[in-house]
């Protein structure tokens, strides 16, 4: 009964920025930890960033730290990731995920609910 829908993907030049959104419904009032993962062709699904329900705890992959910022607006039932200084290696399908585990875990096994993904393509 939890639905997650990503939006905001598209084509952007290297060095540019995108902001992805994840809108939740169904049971969006639950105290979920939210996260972003990405998967490029031929690669495993990779942790990007996570944020606790309160927003007081965050976790970032080393590859995006300092460039990406995860945030959430619980009143709008929406989670965001602001992606700056995009690199070609950031190109992937980006997935929003929700989980009930304590903290901000990095493993996809800790997240029970997933969106359909949104494509981010980097041109150079």
């Amino acid at each position: 009964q939890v639905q997650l829908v990503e939006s905001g993907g598209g084509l952007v030049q290297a060095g540019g920025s995108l902001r992805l959104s994840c809108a939740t419904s169904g049971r969006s009032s639950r105290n979920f930890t939210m996260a972003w993962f990405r998967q490029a062709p031929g690669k495993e699904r990779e942790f990007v960033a996570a944020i606790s329900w309160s927003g007081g705890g965050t976790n970032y992959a080393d590859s995006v730290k300092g460039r990406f910022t995860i945030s959430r607006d619980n009143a709008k039932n929406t989670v965001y990731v602001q992606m700056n200084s995009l690199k070609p290696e950031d190109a992937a399908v980006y997935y929003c995920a929700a989980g009930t585990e304590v903290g901000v875990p990095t493993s996809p096994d800790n997240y029970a609910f997933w969106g359909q993904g949104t494509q981010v393509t980097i041109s150079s």
Side-chain angles (χ1 to χ4, degrees):
Q1 284 297 113
V2 178
Q3 296 83 43
L4 289 71
V5 179
E6 303 96 334
S7 62
L11 192 153
V12 63
Q13 292 182 350
S17 298
L18 281 176
R19 192 184 203 194
L20 306 182
S21 299
C22 174
T24 65
S25 62
R27 294 287 185 181
S28 57
S29 62
R30 292 181 61 89
N31 295 347
F32 288 126
T33 294
M34 303 296 298
W36 291 92
F37 292 79
R38 66 189 183 187
Q39 188 164 23
K43 293 187 176 293
E44 298 178 357
R45 187 163 297 189
E46 176 187 31
F47 172 77
V48 176
I51 186 167
S52 64
W53 175 82
S54 69
T58 59
N59 199 359
Y60 294 93
D62 289 341
S63 59
V64 307
K65 192 172 297 182
R67 299 188 297 119
F68 291 13
T69 302
I70 188 170
S71 62
R72 67 191 300 165
D73 186 338
N74 290 342
K76 297 181 179 179
N77 299 319
T78 302
V79 180
Y80 309 93
V81 59
Q82 176 69 43
M83 308 188 297
N84 297 330
S85 302
L86 284 163
K87 304 175 180 179
E89 52 263 43
D90 294 319
V93 176
Y94 282 71
Y95 297 92
C96 180
T100 57
E101 288 78 8
V102 175
V104 283
T106 63
S107 171
D109 294 339
N110 294 122
Y111 296 90
F113 308 103
W114 294 81
Q116 83 288 350
T118 186
Q119 178 73 54
V120 173
T121 303
I122 311 298
S123 63
S124 61

